[in-house]
Amino acid sequence: MAAPIEIVLEVPGLVVLVGAAGAGKSTFVARHFEPRDALSSDDLRAALTGDPGDQTATRPAFAILHRELVRRLRAGRLVVVDATNVRPFARRALARRADSLGAPATAIVLDLPSGLIHARNLARPRPVPIAAVDAQLAELARSVGAIEEEGFARVVVLRSPADVEAVRVVRAPGETAPAG
């Protein structure tokens, strides 16, 4: 059993989930955060086109995500970004927005074994193509060691399902979830 991993978050603040399709980012968000805290690229693509996997909607979905991130941080909220975020430029863009508003950014990286990720992906109702998952895994492997240099106040790397299960997310003392 993995040692407990406590992640203390300040509010306002940004949490960026990082991991390939099938790593369990959305499950992690559902387990540890309120739905109102989350911004999901899949949900935004679905709102735009009716299909969460429609990659033609990625650019407008992320434009909306970035605007909403800034709006929520300005309102003093905790914001959790649920997207692959395996590319450094994507993570830096999010961290810069939080920094410009004086909000700390935390990266939670689900760097799980590739076999597990592929099995989870294939079990989905609409799996992501294997080649795309492999590309995401390769991009994460190239950049995971440098995430701390991208503007994050804290980086938590989870490398096993036991690590994921050991996580306890808490808001900084004195911070409460906003109503509504």
Side-chain angles (χ1 to χ4, degrees):
M1 182 171 166
I5 301 168
E6 186 172 84
I7 303 172
V8 179
L9 301 172
E10 294 180 45
V11 179
L14 170 65
V15 176
V16 175
L17 274 288
V18 181
K25 297 175 301 297
S26 296
T27 301
F28 188 92
V29 171
R31 182 176 296 143
H32 295 288
F33 301 98
E34 295 295 324
R36 67 178 169 258
D37 296 333
L39 284 174
S40 163
S41 58
D42 286 349
D43 289 351
L44 291 167
R45 280 191 289 268
L48 292 168
T49 68
D51 179 359
D54 184 346
Q55 297 303 303
T56 65
T58 295
R59 185 175 294 249
F62 275 93
I64 293 167
L65 188 147
H66 288 164
R67 280 194 309 271
E68 185 63 13
L69 165 68
V70 169
R71 188 189 71 74
R72 291 180 185 192
L73 288 175
R74 283 185 177 143
R77 295 182 52 191
L78 178 67
V79 183
V80 181
V81 175
D82 178 4
T84 60
N85 296 309
V86 294
R87 294 187 172 146
F89 78 86
R91 295 187 299 262
R92 281 192 302 266
L94 295 166
R96 274 195 310 268
R97 282 172 172 78
D99 184 59
S100 73
L101 296 167
T106 299
I108 300 176
V109 183
L110 281 74
D111 188 16
L112 303 176
S114 62
L116 174 64
I117 289 173
H118 279 296
R120 286 178 175 175
N121 177 54
L122 291 174
R124 294 171 148 190
R126 299 181 63 172
V128 173
I130 292 170
V133 175
D134 284 339
Q136 293 168 359
L137 289 166
E139 185 68 47
L140 181 57
R142 279 191 296 275
S143 65
V144 70
I147 294 175
E148 288 182 4
E149 300 162 16
E150 295 172 357
F152 290 92
R154 181 170 185 194
V155 177
V156 179
V157 181
L158 307 172
R159 298 194 188 276
S160 71
D163 286 350
V164 174
E165 288 301 316
V167 168
R168 180 171 168 257
V169 175
V170 295
R171 293 173 191 262
E175 302 291 347
T176 59

